[in-house]
Amino acid sequence: MTILWDSDPAAAQNYKFALGDRIEVVEVAQMVTRAMITNPQELLVIVGPDVDLHAASSLAEQVRSERPEVSVILLRRRLDVSVLAAALRAGFREVVASDDLTSLSSACKRSLDISHQLADIAGLAPTLEGKVIIVFNAKGGCGKTTIATNLSAYVASTGAKALLVDLDLAFGDVAISLQLRPVASVGDLVAMTGHIDAQGLASVVTKHDSGLDTVCAPSQPGEADRITGATVGEMLRVARRLYDYVIIDTPPAFSEHVLAALDMCDVAVLLATLDIPAVKNLRLTLDTLDLLGHPRDAQVVILNRSDAKVGLHTEDVVAAIKQPIAAMIPSSSHVPASVNRGVPIILDEPKHPVSVALRAFADKYIINAPASSLSASPRPDGPLAQTRRSVQQPSAPRHLFRRGVR
Ligand SMILES: Nc1ncnc2c1ncn2[C@@H]1O[C@H](COP(=O)(O)OP(=O)(O)OP(=O)(O)O)[C@@H](O)[C@H]1O
Ligand SMILES: [Mg+2]
């Protein structure tokens, strides 16, 4: 599908002869960027004759530096020296008179040939992907949902496009914690498996007042059984092309859905609390992640309820898990109170110590985090996927412009 930036929504008709039937008309520059993220395979952008030359040049410059394999062709009603000079400076691949459809057709063909060569030679697989962050511990009740909802709400409040996915498919609490009334859930994606696209994902998104998008768990626990790791993996691959941040809440188990998410996450936020079972489970979780080949530099540990006076200390946890603690979140009755109000404490009480600690964590380890070994390269069939296949045999349970910060 060719992306056509034109102020006339019916412009596709004018250029059908040269561009074919599959044209996506967008009216503003931001939508061009978004369309390129949604269709990362698309290598051709046409800028209509009425788009301001300065704005068009800014886009061409941005594409040249960030997606050099994409061709941008400029259409003008009149071609004069000043237009050609500006186009040359900005990096348009061709400039064509808007009424010369034969020339436009040839220009598209030439440009696409170059684009394909550039993409092949440079191995420029599109990597227009947001960060995927999973919040996990194999023990229940240690604060996964609390921390996932607060981190997501905070990231969304910074103006980023954030999606919170509830992979606790049987007993998910995201909807109730944010007082959402979802009309669709992950379960509705099962029928779309194999062809989930941006529209399909949007059809199961429930919006929160904060600007956060969510994909909630099914309302009936039984539905979880129908949802495979493949559906979850496909949903997350689509989601990370559409969102700056995809944050995942999890069940207290290494379900196939969790494994699918771990396979593509950039940051695994692992929770601990000051009780022996939670620490033991975190130790086992870290060992399992090692076994699965999950890189250590993609893992960060949060100690939740870090000030609980229960005889176990932070040093004991560090000694047991042999990992540093990235953040300590104090215990406070304001946390369950905020859940009962359906507003994340990080938005409701930004100065509360819990909010301050969570914000500092998000700033350092999510928003400004350097790329980890996981995020350094896309892993369609990553080490987890491969290892999972071997460890599960034979009794497997059923189961324009960013990477890093835009
Ligand atoms: N820092 C905190 N201070 C006080 N209460 C907290 C804190 N963090 C979480 N809680 C409370 O602990 C309870 C469990 O938290 P939460 O639901 O987030 O855990 P979970 O790991 O998602 O549990 P599950 O595994 O059952 O999904 C909730 O009532 C929550 O409000
Ligand atoms: Mg939970």
Side-chain angles (χ1 to χ4, degrees):
M1 185 174 311
T2 304
I3 300 164
L4 171 61
W5 178 12
D6 201 296
S7 48
D8 175 7
Q13 286 303 322
N14 306 341
Y15 304 110
K16 221 170 153 181
F17 168 77
L19 306 180
D21 280 325
R22 302 186 67 242
I23 304 172
E24 182 177 359
V25 183
V26 294
E27 291 177 53
V28 293
Q30 289 86 339
M31 286 171 69
V32 179
T33 316
R34 182 56 56 196
M36 290 176 69
I37 291 166
T38 315
N39 307 292
Q41 310 300 335
E42 187 49 63
L43 294 174
L44 188 59
V45 176
I46 313 288
V47 180
D50 298 319
V51 173
D52 171 66
L53 184 59
H54 183 70
S57 299
S58 297
L59 176 84
E61 281 164 13
Q62 188 185 359
V63 172
R64 181 173 55 184
S65 67
E66 293 172 344
R67 292 281 311 277
E69 78 279 30
V70 172
S71 295
V72 187
I73 294 180
L74 180 67
L75 298 179
R76 293 290 95 170
R77 299 206 189 279
R78 277 194 21 234
L79 303 184
D80 57 36
V81 175
S82 65
V83 167
L84 293 174
L88 202 63
R89 278 196 299 276
F92 287 97
R93 195 87 76 206
E94 304 240 4
V95 187
V96 183
S98 55
D99 56 358
D100 187 351
L101 296 184
T102 309
S103 294
L104 176 58
S105 172
S106 313
C108 289
K109 189 176 174 317
R110 277 193 302 273
S111 298
L112 274 176
D113 284 347
I114 295 170
S115 288
H116 285 132
Q117 278 171 23
L118 283 174
D120 287 350
I121 292 167
L124 285 172
T127 52
L128 314 171
E129 292 167 351
K131 273 189 194 166
V132 178
I133 299 109
I134 185 168
V135 180
F136 182 66
N137 186 305
K139 179 175 178 291
C142 56
K144 296 180 292 296
T145 304
T146 305
I147 287 178
T149 47
N150 276 281
L151 291 178
S152 310
Y154 170 61
V155 166
S157 76
T158 65
K161 211 166 179 300
L163 178 72
L164 172 60
V165 177
D166 194 346
L167 283 190
D168 190 351
L169 297 174
F171 299 106
D173 288 332
V174 164
I176 206 150
S177 300
L178 295 174
Q179 290 194 351
L180 300 169
R181 292 166 183 239
V183 290
S185 76
V186 187
D188 296 290
L189 289 173
V190 171
M192 300 179 215
T193 303
H195 47 90
I196 300 174
D197 57 9
Q199 242 181 328
L201 181 65
S203 72
V204 298
V205 163
T206 305
K207 292 190 176 294
H208 184 252
D209 292 343
S210 64
L212 174 69
D213 281 0
T214 65
V215 177
C216 296
S219 52
Q220 299 301 321
E223 266 196 70
D225 291 342
R226 297 190 304 116
I227 303 166
T228 63
T231 302
V232 167
E234 192 181 343
M235 167 183 69
L236 295 176
R237 277 191 293 281
V238 173
R240 74 176 177 183
R241 280 193 256 120
L242 299 170
Y243 289 88
D244 301 318
Y245 299 95
V246 179
I247 294 154
I248 301 164
D249 185 20
T250 54
F254 273 105
S255 67
E256 65 171 315
H257 314 111
V258 168
L259 288 168
L262 281 168
D263 246 353
M264 67 178 66
C265 75
D266 298 286
V267 184
V269 177
L270 304 169
L271 298 194
T273 46
L274 288 172
D275 59 289
I276 303 263
V279 175
K280 181 212 80 183
N281 277 347
L282 178 57
R283 179 66 261 156
L284 290 176
T285 298
L286 290 165
D287 290 347
T288 308
L289 289 176
D290 279 348
L291 184 74
L292 295 176
H294 194 272
R296 279 282 171 103
D297 67 353
Q299 301 163 10
V300 275
V301 176
I302 289 184
L303 184 60
N304 191 22
R305 298 169 175 258
S306 57
D307 53 353
K309 304 277 180 283
V310 286
L312 200 65
H313 304 284
T314 311
E315 310 82 68
D316 303 325
V317 178
V318 173
I321 63 171
K322 301 185 185 71
Q323 284 263 78
I325 304 257
M328 313 242 251
I329 314 295
S331 193
S332 168
S333 59
H334 289 222
V335 173
S338 74
V339 174
N340 291 342
R341 282 196 303 277
V343 188
I345 187 167
I346 207 162
L347 300 182
D348 214 18
E349 298 179 63
K351 293 193 177 147
H352 191 283
V354 167
S355 307
V356 172
L358 281 171
R359 230 177 12 249
F361 172 82
D363 287 339
K364 183 165 178 192
Y365 292 96
I366 295 179
I367 296 175
N368 300 314
S372 71
S373 324
L374 269 179
S375 57
S377 59
R379 300 165 315 123
D381 194 22
L384 287 178
Q386 291 162 20
T387 315
R388 185 172 66 240
R389 277 197 293 279
S390 62
V391 297
Q392 286 181 351
Q393 304 292 337
S395 56
R398 197 199 62 75
H399 322 281
L400 216 101
F401 302 135
R402 54 173 188 244
R403 162 62 75 175
V405 181
R406 245 199 327 179

